[in-house]
Amino acid sequence: MIKHYFGNFHLLVEADEQARRAADAGWETARWTFWLTIGTFLLVAGAVAAAIFAWKTWTATRDQLTNSNEQLAMARQAEKQSEASNVSAWPQMETNGDISITIRNGNGGPVYDVTCQVLAKLSPLIPLPSDVIHRWHMVALLPSASLLSRDVSFTVYAADHANASTDHSGTRRTQDPSTPATMDTAKSWRLWDGDPDSTGLSLNLNFRDSSGVRWQRDWNGCLTQQDK
């Protein structure tokens, strides 16, 4: 009987020991699983942070390169345009109705193949001045500040255009045959103010710089490079 009792007690102790060992093993597994999870999370977080940092670095580098390229292109265009920017022309209405035209070359050297046109906007239906009233052409325009040259000036005389008369056949004529019929009065003979609903006269200047690039300065002073 005693032997049977101690045998059962021994079995209970062994079962308890096995349960304790199983619990310890389970706890150890849980502990390792927890730390592995934390480690994995930290690795993932580090990888995400590294990816974000790499993306931001690439974006900043790309933007910096883009800005640098844009600035370089702007600097090259400004350098390319610097000579053309110093060439200009402007009209002025005199008190007697004549229009004086001045062309200036502010560079240290000449520009070439210079053409200056007086254009007319004949109707509010026409968006921009387009009809040629007068045209001057020069093979070369010397620097205005040089000892050999200064600003070039021309005059468009109102008497040749805005004083039309009727001949014996009833036809209205001006002294200059190039004048459009709608520009033959003193009221219409004026400088255009840029209003789309008005009419008048403006300038167009075209020339080549020393590098052979052709430029055009429009009625509003805007400078544009022309196709070769």
Side-chain angles (χ1 to χ4, degrees):
M1 182 71 178
I2 294 174
K3 183 178 180 181
H4 178 71
Y5 173 78
F6 278 105
N8 291 336
F9 179 77
H10 179 71
L11 291 175
L12 289 173
V13 171
E14 287 185 351
D16 183 68
E17 182 66 18
Q18 290 177 357
R20 186 182 64 79
R21 289 178 179 178
D24 291 342
W27 170 249
E28 189 68 16
T29 300
R31 187 169 66 86
W32 277 104
T33 302
F34 171 77
W35 287 113
L36 286 174
T37 302
I38 293 297
T40 303
F41 174 78
L42 292 176
L43 289 174
V44 172
V48 171
I52 293 175
F53 177 78
W55 180 80
K56 288 185 176 181
T57 302
W58 175 81
T59 302
T61 303
R62 180 199 61 186
D63 293 343
Q64 185 176 6
L65 288 175
T66 301
N67 293 335
S68 298
N69 291 335
E70 291 177 353
Q71 292 174 359
L72 181 60
M74 291 175 62
R76 286 177 176 173
Q77 181 63 23
E79 181 181 1
K80 187 177 184 180
Q81 190 172 317
S82 60
E83 183 178 354
S85 299
N86 292 324
V87 181
S88 58
W90 62 92
Q92 182 176 346
M93 182 70 73
E94 304 294 343
T95 55
N96 60 358
D98 297 340
I99 298 177
S100 62
I101 313 296
T102 303
I103 306 176
R104 174 173 296 171
N105 176 12
N107 293 295
V111 292
Y112 305 92
D113 193 18
V114 181
T115 300
C116 183
Q117 297 182 123
V118 179
L119 303 179
K121 185 176 184 294
L122 303 178
S123 168
L125 301 179
I126 300 174
L128 294 172
S130 57
D131 288 74
V132 179
I133 300 298
H134 267 285
R135 180 178 181 273
W136 293 276
H137 180 264
M138 292 163 283
V139 175
L141 178 62
L142 296 177
S144 297
S146 68
L147 297 176
L148 301 177
S149 181
R150 58 181 181 178
D151 293 347
V152 175
S153 298
F154 305 97
T155 300
V156 184
Y157 296 100
D160 294 341
H161 302 271
N163 295 328
S165 59
T166 304
D167 62 14
H168 63 278
S169 65
T171 303
R172 288 182 60 79
R173 298 184 183 279
T174 63
Q175 294 186 35
D176 190 315
S178 67
T179 304
T182 55
M183 296 293 294
D184 62 0
T185 64
K187 182 179 179 180
S188 64
W189 190 256
R190 61 184 179 184
L191 296 178
W192 186 46
D193 58 6
D195 185 353
D197 295 328
S198 66
T199 59
L201 304 172
S202 67
L203 293 186
N204 178 282
L205 184 65
N206 197 289
F207 59 94
R208 282 188 300 106
D209 63 19
S210 59
S211 299
V213 179
R214 179 162 292 279
W215 299 89
Q216 177 174 292
R217 194 176 290 280
D218 295 331
W219 65 271
N220 58 356
C222 181
L223 185 67
T224 55
Q225 182 178 338
Q226 303 297 291
D227 294 333
K228 293 184 178 180

